[in-house]
Amino acid sequence: MRLICPNCSAQYEIDTGMIPDEGRDVQCSNCGHTWYELPPPPAETAQALATDVDLEEPEFEAEYEAEGTSAPDFEDDYSTAQDDFEAELSSEPEP
């Protein structure tokens, strides 16, 4: 089991049996931060959670079509913003 300190992000690999079912306090040896760690879920629970998650994107287009408009294209907005940012970086600063 891998523990990651929420304060400094130090990582520790420990035996899963070190964390009891009710959890326990652990302390980072790097920064001294203490936090409460719960044991990982049983493999069956983790598998069930992974298969129950719907990762498909929601259908927004039908809602916009009903209004007679088109859904926004956020990728175009990102590309435009990225182009503007790169152009700003390449230009010389004003005196």
Side-chain angles (χ1 to χ4, degrees):
M1 170 179 189
R2 182 179 301 257
L3 297 180
I4 301 174
C5 175
N7 186 51
C8 72
S9 300
Q11 298 184 22
Y12 305 95
E13 199 65 40
I14 66 162
D15 180 23
T16 305
M18 300 283 296
I19 306 292
D21 290 342
E22 64 273 3
R24 68 176 280 187
D25 286 330
V26 292
Q27 185 175 19
C28 177
S29 61
N30 186 50
C31 70
H33 180 73
T34 302
W35 73 96
Y36 195 78
E37 186 71 33
L38 293 171
E44 306 86 45
T45 305
Q47 180 63 30
L49 290 174
T51 57
D52 287 345
V53 175
D54 182 12
L55 298 178
E56 293 183 21
E57 293 184 24
E59 296 290 329
F60 292 112
E61 286 80 11
E63 182 179 324
Y64 284 98
E65 288 174 5
E67 295 175 358
T69 60
S70 61
D73 187 355
F74 295 111
E75 288 182 14
D76 285 347
D77 292 344
Y78 175 79
S79 296
T80 302
Q82 184 68 24
D83 292 344
D84 292 346
F85 178 72
E86 289 173 359
E88 185 177 324
L89 286 178
S90 65
S91 67
E92 294 185 27
E94 295 181 21

